[in-house]
Structures are given as structure tokens and as C-alpha cells.
Amino acid sequence: MSRVIVTGAAGYIGGQKVLNEAAEAFAKDAINSQKIKSIKPLQYTQASARAGKAAAKASGSGDTKTAASEKRNQVLNTHLAIAANAARDG
């Protein structure tokens, strides 16, 4: 799923591989610094969905700057959700 999101974001931001690697590294560091009890993957999944909807809305209205920002947020939150699920599972 994250590959599809990153590909969409690359159209706005211009660096699919760099964006994906940076988001993944940040997410792992952010999640690893938290206590297991406080990690809630659902919050990141929901934030990713909200960012995706906001990006689509901004893109539809021609606001590419906001669309790029929201796509970046979507990518980051997707990686946070993946890292959070991995941390909770073991």
C-alpha cells in the first residue's frame, strides 16, 4: 500500500525513493522511542486516511502546494502505522 501512496506523492514532491526512505527511517525512530503500551497503530492509520482525503481535495481544487504537503503527511503516517504494527506484534 505504501508504494502506491509514495508514487502519488512523488508527482507532487519529486523524489519517490528519497521520500519513502526518509519516512521509513523517521517512523522507525519515532516508534522505537515510545513505550509499547503507548503505541497505537490506529491513530496513524486514521491520520493517513485524513491526509489522503485532504490531498485529493486540494489536488481537485488546484492547490498543488497543499496537496504535496498532505501527500507527504499521508506517506509519513502510513510508515508510522507500519512501524507501530511491527512494534506491537513483536
Side-chain angles (χ1 to χ4, degrees), residues 22-89:
E24 185 175 0
F26 177 83
K28 285 180 182 178
D29 289 344
I31 296 299
N32 288 335
S33 69
Q34 296 180 22
K35 293 181 181 179
I36 295 292
K37 283 185 187 181
S38 67
I39 298 173
K40 296 180 176 41
L42 182 61
Q43 77 182 21
Y44 302 115
T45 303
Q46 290 172 337
S48 177
R50 282 192 303 271
K53 288 178 184 177
K57 183 178 179 182
S59 180
S61 67
D63 186 359
T64 57
K65 186 175 180 179
T66 300
S69 176
E70 292 298 337
K71 269 297 183 183
R72 184 195 66 235
N73 292 340
Q74 184 182 19
V75 169
L76 178 59
N77 280 299
T78 297
H79 280 288
L80 283 164
I82 291 167
N85 279 317
R88 296 281 297 197
D89 292 341

